[in-house]
């Protein structure tokens, strides 16, 4: 069953490569075939006309091929690739429940917590204590401005290898981040990246 699916996929790709020539320029193949038929005639003018049509057909095909390649390269040429410092700045979760400040520290990127609905008291202003921290010496500290993301490093177009501290549970997770279309996608996970959750943030100006 798997082999059959693979063959069908390759066949579909083969058709995709050649169909555009016939779809965009449906008459180009007819011109070539007509040229071949006329070329068999012994009339000199007919042969000359046939050669001109064939050359025109080939030029059209070459032009179409170059245009197709250029269109395919346009997203890479004009797309804005992220840079290491693109993650630096103030970010707020799209649902408004978390606000953080991402900054560079040496060769890595870190983040401090500016606001989180899980780490403030009922008045929505006073920050809770870090009561669930595994380190007893840190349980009396305020959660305001704590550095809860560390170790993110720029690699292969994303920020990976980081750790994120969840003050509401006292647990530490792995994390990675990407920036696309002005949004930061921060993923926390245990073990494999697939085993986790992603939060989307927008940049806060000013």
């Amino acid at each position: 069953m798997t082999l059959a699916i693979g063959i069908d996929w390759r066949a579909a790709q083969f058709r995709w490569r050649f169909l555009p020539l016939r779809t965009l320029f449906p008459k180009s193949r007819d011109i070539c075939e007509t040229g071949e038929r006329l070329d068999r005639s012994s009339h000199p003018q007919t042969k000359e006309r046939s050669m001109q049509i064939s050359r025109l057909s080939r030029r059209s095909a070459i032009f179409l091929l170059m245009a197709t390649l250029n269109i395919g390269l346009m997203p890479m040429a004009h797309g804005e690739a992220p840079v290491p410092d693109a993650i630096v700045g103030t970010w707020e979760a799209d649902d408004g429940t978390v606000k953080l400040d991402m900054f560079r520290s040496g060769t890595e990127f870190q983040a401090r917590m500016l606001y989180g609905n899980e780490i403030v008291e009922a008045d929505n202003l006073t920050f809770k204590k870090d009561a669930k921290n595994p380190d007893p010496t840190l349980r009396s500290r305020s959660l305001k401005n704590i550095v809860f993301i560390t170790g993110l490093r720029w690699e292969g177009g994303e920020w990976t290898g980081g750790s994120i501290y969840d003050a509401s549970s006292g647990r530490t997770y792995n994390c990675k981040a990407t920036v696309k279309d002005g949004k930061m996608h921060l993923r926390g996970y245990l073990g494999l990246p697939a085993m986790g959750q992603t939060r989307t943030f927008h940049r806060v100006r000013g």
Side-chain angles (χ1 to χ4, degrees), residues 65-131:
L65 178 61
M66 293 178 65
T68 303
L69 291 174
N70 288 335
I71 292 173
L73 292 173
M74 281 177 64
M76 292 186 290
H78 298 286
E80 294 183 3
V83 295
D85 285 343
I87 201 173
V88 172
T90 303
W91 300 86
E92 183 178 19
D94 283 353
D95 60 7
T97 58
V98 177
K99 183 182 290 186
L100 57 89
D101 174 37
M102 191 74 70
F103 60 95
R104 180 194 281 271
S105 177
T107 59
E108 69 178 53
F109 294 87
Q110 301 180 355
R112 62 174 57 93
M113 180 70 72
L114 300 180
Y115 172 82
N117 65 344
E118 294 291 334
I119 63 172
V120 293
E121 302 290 355
D123 62 4
N124 208 34
L125 294 173
T126 306
F127 280 81
K128 296 178 180 180
K129 302 297 183 180
D130 195 5

Side-chain angles (χ1 to χ4, degrees), residues 41-92:
S41 173
S42 59
H43 197 286
Q45 293 182 352
T46 302
K47 289 183 179 181
E48 183 179 354
R49 180 182 178 85
S50 174
M51 293 175 63
Q52 291 176 350
I53 294 176
S54 296
R55 285 195 296 269
L56 179 61
S57 176
R58 285 195 294 271
R59 289 175 183 173
S60 298
I62 292 172
F63 174 80
L64 176 60
L65 178 61
M66 293 178 65
T68 303
L69 291 174
N70 288 335
I71 292 173
L73 292 173
M74 281 177 64
M76 292 186 290
H78 298 286
E80 294 183 3
V83 295
D85 285 343
I87 201 173
V88 172
T90 303
W91 300 86
E92 183 178 19

Side-chain angles (χ1 to χ4, degrees), residues 6-190:
I7 292 173
D8 290 344
W9 180 86
R10 286 192 293 270
Q13 293 288 47
F14 181 85
R15 289 194 297 271
W16 181 87
R17 289 172 183 159
F18 289 92
L19 274 175
L21 291 175
R22 296 195 296 269
T23 302
L24 299 178
F25 292 87
K27 296 183 179 181
S28 61
R29 185 177 179 182
D30 295 335
I31 291 175
C32 290
E33 292 175 349
T34 303
E36 292 174 358
R37 287 196 297 268
L38 292 175
D39 191 51
R40 297 189 186 97
S41 173
S42 59
H43 197 286
Q45 293 182 352
T46 302
K47 289 183 179 181
E48 183 179 354
R49 180 182 178 85
S50 174
M51 293 175 63
Q52 291 176 350
I53 294 176
S54 296
R55 285 195 296 269
L56 179 61
S57 176
R58 285 195 294 271
R59 289 175 183 173
S60 298
I62 292 172
F63 174 80
L64 176 60
L65 178 61
M66 293 178 65
T68 303
L69 291 174
N70 288 335
I71 292 173
L73 292 173
M74 281 177 64
M76 292 186 290
H78 298 286
E80 294 183 3
V83 295
D85 285 343
I87 201 173
V88 172
T90 303
W91 300 86
E92 183 178 19
D94 283 353
D95 60 7
T97 58
V98 177
K99 183 182 290 186
L100 57 89
D101 174 37
M102 191 74 70
F103 60 95
R104 180 194 281 271
S105 177
T107 59
E108 69 178 53
F109 294 87
Q110 301 180 355
R112 62 174 57 93
M113 180 70 72
L114 300 180
Y115 172 82
N117 65 344
E118 294 291 334
I119 63 172
V120 293
E121 302 290 355
D123 62 4
N124 208 34
L125 294 173
T126 306
F127 280 81
K128 296 178 180 180
K129 302 297 183 180
D130 195 5
K132 296 185 178 181
N133 197 301
D135 184 350
T137 64
L138 296 177
R139 292 175 185 171
S140 61
R141 70 173 180 173
S142 170
L143 291 174
K144 183 177 181 179
N145 290 332
I146 66 165
V147 176
F148 74 110
I149 293 179
T150 59
L152 281 175
R153 295 181 184 276
W154 173 254
E155 183 178 348
E158 62 180 4
W159 296 264
T160 62
S163 298
I164 181 169
Y165 172 62
D166 176 25
S168 64
S169 66
R171 302 185 65 178
T172 298
Y173 300 86
N174 300 322
C175 71
K176 60 185 293 187
T178 57
V179 173
K180 183 178 180 181
D181 298 330
K183 297 275 191 174
M184 179 177 70
H185 306 277
L186 180 64
R187 186 166 186 80
Y189 60 94
L190 281 174

